[in-house]
Each structure stands twice: as C-alpha cells, then as structure tokens.
Amino acid sequence: MDIIQPQIIWIDNRCYRKNRISPLYDDGNSVPDGIELSNKQHEGQHLGSFESCEYDDEGDSCETANVPIEQLGDGRFRVKMCIASEYYSKIIGRNGDAKRQIEKDTKVQLYIPKKGQSGDVAITGFSAKDVSSAFMRVSLVVSNARKRMPFTHFVSIPLTTPNVKARFVQFKNDVLQFSRGAIDQELFQNPEKLHLTIGTLVLLSNEERLRAAQSLQNCAKRIRDLMGSTPLEIEIRGVEYMNDDPERVDVLYGKCADSSGRLQQMADAIVDSLEADGLLDRQYDHVKLHATLMNSLFKVKDDSENDPVRSTFNARPILENWKDYNFGTVIVDDIHLSQRYSTSQSTKYYVASAQIALSQAM
C-alpha cells in the first residue's frame, strides 16, 4: 500500500483511508498486551480499519459508475454480488450484528443465501447511492477477510525442464553433503514443482476460479504485444533470502531474470489484470521474480502458513558458497493458474485451473 496515496473509500458522504489489517487481530485473537477491542469488534461488527476525514460536498460523493446497479420495476435499486459462501459469516457477524449495522448505516436490505442455498448476495434500496455505499462496505468486508485466508491458487511459470531439475538436484545434494546434517532435506522444493510465482490468490468458489481464468485470458493480447516474435528465456542464477538475517531464514529462492526485461513487464501486466478484477491485492510496485528453492513450511505437515511461530534455518553457508549458482535457463511456453497442494498425474506439476500458451500468443 502506498502510504502517500492510500486507497480511498467513500461511505455516507465521508472519505475514509483504507489501511491494511494485521491478521493477528482477526476476531480479537492474539492481540498484543495493552490493547483492548471494543464489544462491537468482539461481536463481529468490526468491518475494517478506517481513518475518517470529513467531506461536506453535497455532490455525488458516492461513486456508482463502476457498481452494476439495476433499477427494479417498483423504483428500487438493486445490485447482486457473487460472493463465496465462506465469506457469509463475516458479512453477517455474530448474531447478525454486522449485517444489521450495514443495513442501518446505508438504509438498504441485504439478502444473504441461507446455509445450503445457492445464489448471489443482493443489496436493495431506494437510492442508487445507498446501494453503492452498501456494495462498497460488503466488498471491503470480503477484501479484508480474503487477506487473512491462506491462498488456494497461484499464477506460475513452470521451471521444470530436465536441465533445471538436474541442476537443482545437484545443488540440493551438494548443500546436504556440505551441511553434514545441519540442513534438513525436507526444506527443499520438489524438483517436479519448481516454478516462478507471479501472484497468489484466494479462490473459494467455482465462480471465482472462472473469473481468475478469464482475467488471465484477458491478458493474452497485452502479453502478445510484450512478447513479440522472440521466445522468452529465463535464467535462474544465484540464491537470495526473504528476511534480514541470513542465519534465520525461512525462504531461500533462486533469482530469475531475462536480458530483455520482458519477464518483469509480463508479470506486472498479469498482476495488473488480476488486481483490476478484484482477485489479488498488489503487495509491491513490481512483482518480485523468484523461484522458491527451500522453504521452512515444507517441513510443516499441515502446511499452515498462518502459524505465527515459523521455524528457520541457517542459510549463511549456502549464500556464501552458492551465491552465483547457475540453475540453468528455461524458455517460457505457458503461464498457469495453479492449484495449491495439487499434483497432476501426467506432468507431476501442480494441477492447472487455467493456462495461457505463449506459443499461441506470439
């Protein structure tokens, strides 16, 4: 998030600055000593973090242009939202308090399908402005809840050519031999699943997966323009780590680059599309191009990324002895929307929910 130009949310003629929420504060759990949450927060009415600034302009301060509102025959306005059922409890809140608060604040009726039922969340009101305001409130609840959930899918470029896999296995064996038991072999990535990660997503319904697949397809023309007629070759060379202490590392990755700069442009274009479609929250101005080689989460049997206590390993000897290790090069053939914790029976790579074949895009 750009702290100089933060995202702005309009609710009832007030301008709010949207701040990131620490996942440790979710539902009042693991709150630091000395901080108390209000009763409303404990009751599920905590809808997000805002800093308010007054705005008294009587103009159309609640933007409705991008909200798909329809007018009904009786004069009321309605918008439908396709929301995964996993988010319903966040919108409803404990004993329905959060839902009632949204309805009271925005003067709308909020319909949420009951457990076991299918359908859209519907917001109905006598003012398009009120409906739009409620739409943004619900969207913000979903957005904040999504950030606290472990990702289910990720956009990836497979790095599984025979040469790269062989070089990675050699790297693994050399490190294990050098470490003499100090490094656990379970820390290493499966060579059949070596990949470059472009972005991670939380996709909890078939509709969300279809939207993500369509968003990727919408990138095809832009990618085609970026790629031109020359194949994109990635070089994986050198190792780096994610945190600031080389002796307490949780992720070690290989650095990925191409001489033309097209890889960075392509990755940023894909993130732009997914972000514009509300499927991904950008973390940095540019995608960090990397291939995970070692990860302490690989040792955790339940793969819980939300565990605040995460093991680390001493990567200093690896950084000193293999800092410029050459893992080889890969010609990028396709881009995958990969399912986490999955394995394709045919390729041994992750199962693809969707993919773009660059050979067709060129």
Side-chain angles (χ1 to χ4, degrees), residues 230-244:
T230 306
L232 176 59
E233 184 177 54
I234 299 177
E235 180 183 41
I236 307 102
R237 179 185 290 273
V239 294
E240 191 56 86
Y241 59 106
M242 290 289 188
N243 55 313
D244 58 0

PDB file of all heavy atoms in Angstrom, residues 230-244:
ATOM      1  N   THR A 230      10.052 -13.036 -30.447  1.00  0.00           N
ATOM      2  CA  THR A 230      11.234 -13.682 -29.882  1.00  0.00           C
ATOM      3  C   THR A 230      10.859 -14.470 -28.634  1.00  0.00           C
ATOM      4  O   THR A 230      10.211 -13.924 -27.730  1.00  0.00           O
ATOM      5  CB  THR A 230      12.308 -12.648 -29.510  1.00  0.00           C
ATOM      6  OG1 THR A 230      12.590 -11.830 -30.642  1.00  0.00           O
ATOM      7  CG2 THR A 230      13.581 -13.334 -29.029  1.00  0.00           C
ATOM      8  N   PRO A 231      11.227 -15.748 -28.536  1.00  0.00           N
ATOM      9  CA  PRO A 231      10.927 -16.533 -27.331  1.00  0.00           C
ATOM     10  C   PRO A 231      11.515 -15.875 -26.075  1.00  0.00           C
ATOM     11  O   PRO A 231      12.567 -15.237 -26.128  1.00  0.00           O
ATOM     12  CB  PRO A 231      11.588 -17.886 -27.621  1.00  0.00           C
ATOM     13  CG  PRO A 231      11.673 -17.961 -29.104  1.00  0.00           C
ATOM     14  CD  PRO A 231      11.909 -16.550 -29.572  1.00  0.00           C
ATOM     15  N   LEU A 232      10.811 -16.056 -24.964  1.00  0.00           N
ATOM     16  CA  LEU A 232      11.250 -15.501 -23.684  1.00  0.00           C
ATOM     17  C   LEU A 232      12.063 -16.549 -22.937  1.00  0.00           C
ATOM     18  O   LEU A 232      11.545 -17.606 -22.587  1.00  0.00           O
ATOM     19  CB  LEU A 232      10.039 -15.080 -22.853  1.00  0.00           C
ATOM     20  CG  LEU A 232      10.320 -14.553 -21.438  1.00  0.00           C
ATOM     21  CD1 LEU A 232      11.223 -13.326 -21.486  1.00  0.00           C
ATOM     22  CD2 LEU A 232       9.012 -14.234 -20.718  1.00  0.00           C
ATOM     23  N   GLU A 233      13.320 -16.253 -22.680  1.00  0.00           N
ATOM     24  CA  GLU A 233      14.212 -17.166 -21.975  1.00  0.00           C
ATOM     25  C   GLU A 233      14.546 -16.611 -20.598  1.00  0.00           C
ATOM     26  O   GLU A 233      15.014 -15.483 -20.461  1.00  0.00           O
ATOM     27  CB  GLU A 233      15.511 -17.382 -22.771  1.00  0.00           C
ATOM     28  CG  GLU A 233      16.441 -18.400 -22.131  1.00  0.00           C
ATOM     29  CD  GLU A 233      17.689 -18.647 -22.965  1.00  0.00           C
ATOM     30  OE1 GLU A 233      18.384 -17.654 -23.302  1.00  0.00           O
ATOM     31  OE2 GLU A 233      17.964 -19.808 -23.293  1.00  0.00           O
ATOM     32  N   ILE A 234      14.278 -17.429 -19.579  1.00  0.00           N
ATOM     33  CA  ILE A 234      14.561 -17.042 -18.192  1.00  0.00           C
ATOM     34  C   ILE A 234      15.853 -17.718 -17.740  1.00  0.00           C
ATOM     35  O   ILE A 234      16.053 -18.909 -17.963  1.00  0.00           O
ATOM     36  CB  ILE A 234      13.423 -17.477 -17.248  1.00  0.00           C
ATOM     37  CG1 ILE A 234      12.112 -16.818 -17.637  1.00  0.00           C
ATOM     38  CG2 ILE A 234      13.758 -17.143 -15.799  1.00  0.00           C
ATOM     39  CD1 ILE A 234      10.937 -17.283 -16.777  1.00  0.00           C
ATOM     40  N   GLU A 235      16.688 -16.956 -17.075  1.00  0.00           N
ATOM     41  CA  GLU A 235      17.872 -17.528 -16.437  1.00  0.00           C
ATOM     42  C   GLU A 235      17.650 -17.555 -14.932  1.00  0.00           C
ATOM     43  O   GLU A 235      17.246 -16.543 -14.339  1.00  0.00           O
ATOM     44  CB  GLU A 235      19.122 -16.715 -16.756  1.00  0.00           C
ATOM     45  CG  GLU A 235      20.381 -17.292 -16.100  1.00  0.00           C
ATOM     46  CD  GLU A 235      21.630 -16.462 -16.353  1.00  0.00           C
ATOM     47  OE1 GLU A 235      21.520 -15.218 -16.301  1.00  0.00           O
ATOM     48  OE2 GLU A 235      22.703 -17.047 -16.570  1.00  0.00           O
ATOM     49  N   ILE A 236      17.906 -18.696 -14.312  1.00  0.00           N
ATOM     50  CA  ILE A 236      17.826 -18.817 -12.853  1.00  0.00           C
ATOM     51  C   ILE A 236      19.260 -18.940 -12.345  1.00  0.00           C
ATOM     52  O   ILE A 236      19.917 -19.960 -12.544  1.00  0.00           O
ATOM     53  CB  ILE A 236      16.997 -20.046 -12.409  1.00  0.00           C
ATOM     54  CG1 ILE A 236      15.621 -20.034 -13.082  1.00  0.00           C
ATOM     55  CG2 ILE A 236      16.816 -20.052 -10.892  1.00  0.00           C
ATOM     56  CD1 ILE A 236      15.492 -20.964 -14.241  1.00  0.00           C
ATOM     57  N   ARG A 237      19.722 -17.889 -11.719  1.00  0.00           N
ATOM     58  CA  ARG A 237      21.117 -17.855 -11.277  1.00  0.00           C
ATOM     59  C   ARG A 237      21.219 -17.127  -9.942  1.00  0.00           C
ATOM     60  O   ARG A 237      20.680 -16.034  -9.771  1.00  0.00           O
ATOM     61  CB  ARG A 237      21.992 -17.136 -12.302  1.00  0.00           C
ATOM     62  CG  ARG A 237      23.470 -17.039 -11.889  1.00  0.00           C
ATOM     63  CD  ARG A 237      24.269 -16.210 -12.875  1.00  0.00           C
ATOM     64  NE  ARG A 237      24.423 -16.897 -14.145  1.00  0.00           N
ATOM     65  CZ  ARG A 237      25.407 -17.754 -14.412  1.00  0.00           C
ATOM     66  NH1 ARG A 237      26.321 -18.013 -13.478  1.00  0.00           N
ATOM     67  NH2 ARG A 237      25.488 -18.327 -15.588  1.00  0.00           N
ATOM     68  N   GLY A 238      21.924 -17.727  -9.017  1.00  0.00           N
ATOM     69  CA  GLY A 238      22.154 -17.103  -7.724  1.00  0.00           C
ATOM     70  C   GLY A 238      21.030 -17.382  -6.738  1.00  0.00           C
ATOM     71  O   GLY A 238      19.907 -17.721  -7.116  1.00  0.00           O
ATOM     72  N   VAL A 239      21.367 -17.276  -5.446  1.00  0.00           N
ATOM     73  CA  VAL A 239      20.380 -17.511  -4.385  1.00  0.00           C
ATOM     74  C   VAL A 239      20.250 -16.264  -3.526  1.00  0.00           C
ATOM     75  O   VAL A 239      21.188 -15.476  -3.388  1.00  0.00           O
ATOM     76  CB  VAL A 239      20.765 -18.726  -3.513  1.00  0.00           C
ATOM     77  CG1 VAL A 239      20.709 -20.008  -4.324  1.00  0.00           C
ATOM     78  CG2 VAL A 239      22.143 -18.546  -2.886  1.00  0.00           C
ATOM     79  N   GLU A 240      19.069 -16.080  -2.960  1.00  0.00           N
ATOM     80  CA  GLU A 240      18.792 -14.928  -2.107  1.00  0.00           C
ATOM     81  C   GLU A 240      17.782 -15.358  -1.065  1.00  0.00           C
ATOM     82  O   GLU A 240      17.168 -16.424  -1.172  1.00  0.00           O
ATOM     83  CB  GLU A 240      18.258 -13.775  -2.958  1.00  0.00           C
ATOM     84  CG  GLU A 240      18.182 -12.426  -2.255  1.00  0.00           C
ATOM     85  CD  GLU A 240      19.509 -11.974  -1.669  1.00  0.00           C
ATOM     86  OE1 GLU A 240      20.321 -11.361  -2.364  1.00  0.00           O
ATOM     87  OE2 GLU A 240      19.698 -12.301  -0.472  1.00  0.00           O
ATOM     88  N   TYR A 241      17.588 -14.536  -0.028  1.00  0.00           N
ATOM     89  CA  TYR A 241      16.657 -14.890   1.044  1.00  0.00           C
ATOM     90  C   TYR A 241      15.692 -13.747   1.294  1.00  0.00           C
ATOM     91  O   TYR A 241      15.914 -12.617   0.868  1.00  0.00           O
ATOM     92  CB  TYR A 241      17.413 -15.260   2.325  1.00  0.00           C
ATOM     93  CG  TYR A 241      18.314 -14.174   2.889  1.00  0.00           C
ATOM     94  CD1 TYR A 241      17.953 -13.467   4.026  1.00  0.00           C
ATOM     95  CD2 TYR A 241      19.535 -13.872   2.287  1.00  0.00           C
ATOM     96  CE1 TYR A 241      18.776 -12.481   4.556  1.00  0.00           C
ATOM     97  CE2 TYR A 241      20.367 -12.895   2.809  1.00  0.00           C
ATOM     98  CZ  TYR A 241      19.986 -12.201   3.934  1.00  0.00           C
ATOM     99  OH  TYR A 241      20.807 -11.224   4.444  1.00  0.00           O
ATOM    100  N   MET A 242      14.590 -14.055   1.993  1.00  0.00           N
ATOM    101  CA  MET A 242      13.475 -13.130   2.119  1.00  0.00           C
ATOM    102  C   MET A 242      13.596 -12.160   3.300  1.00  0.00           C
ATOM    103  O   MET A 242      13.063 -11.065   3.239  1.00  0.00           O
ATOM    104  CB  MET A 242      12.158 -13.911   2.258  1.00  0.00           C
ATOM    105  CG  MET A 242      11.722 -14.624   0.989  1.00  0.00           C
ATOM    106  SD  MET A 242      11.172 -13.453  -0.263  1.00  0.00           S
ATOM    107  CE  MET A 242      10.498 -14.574  -1.496  1.00  0.00           C
ATOM    108  N   ASN A 243      14.227 -12.580   4.379  1.00  0.00           N
ATOM    109  CA  ASN A 243      14.245 -11.728   5.563  1.00  0.00           C
ATOM    110  C   ASN A 243      15.608 -11.053   5.710  1.00  0.00           C
ATOM    111  O   ASN A 243      16.405 -11.036   4.773  1.00  0.00           O
ATOM    112  CB  ASN A 243      13.890 -12.546   6.809  1.00  0.00           C
ATOM    113  CG  ASN A 243      14.792 -13.750   6.964  1.00  0.00           C
ATOM    114  OD1 ASN A 243      15.022 -14.483   6.009  1.00  0.00           O
ATOM    115  ND2 ASN A 243      15.317 -13.962   8.159  1.00  0.00           N
ATOM    116  N   ASP A 244      15.892 -10.490   6.879  1.00  0.00           N
ATOM    117  CA  ASP A 244      17.100  -9.682   7.029  1.00  0.00           C
ATOM    118  C   ASP A 244      18.218 -10.366   7.821  1.00  0.00           C
ATOM    119  O   ASP A 244      19.245  -9.756   8.085  1.00  0.00           O
ATOM    120  CB  ASP A 244      16.765  -8.340   7.694  1.00  0.00           C
ATOM    121  CG  ASP A 244      16.102  -8.514   9.050  1.00  0.00           C
ATOM    122  OD1 ASP A 244      15.905  -9.669   9.473  1.00  0.00           O
ATOM    123  OD2 ASP A 244      15.766  -7.494   9.684  1.00  0.00           O
TER     124      ASP A 244
END
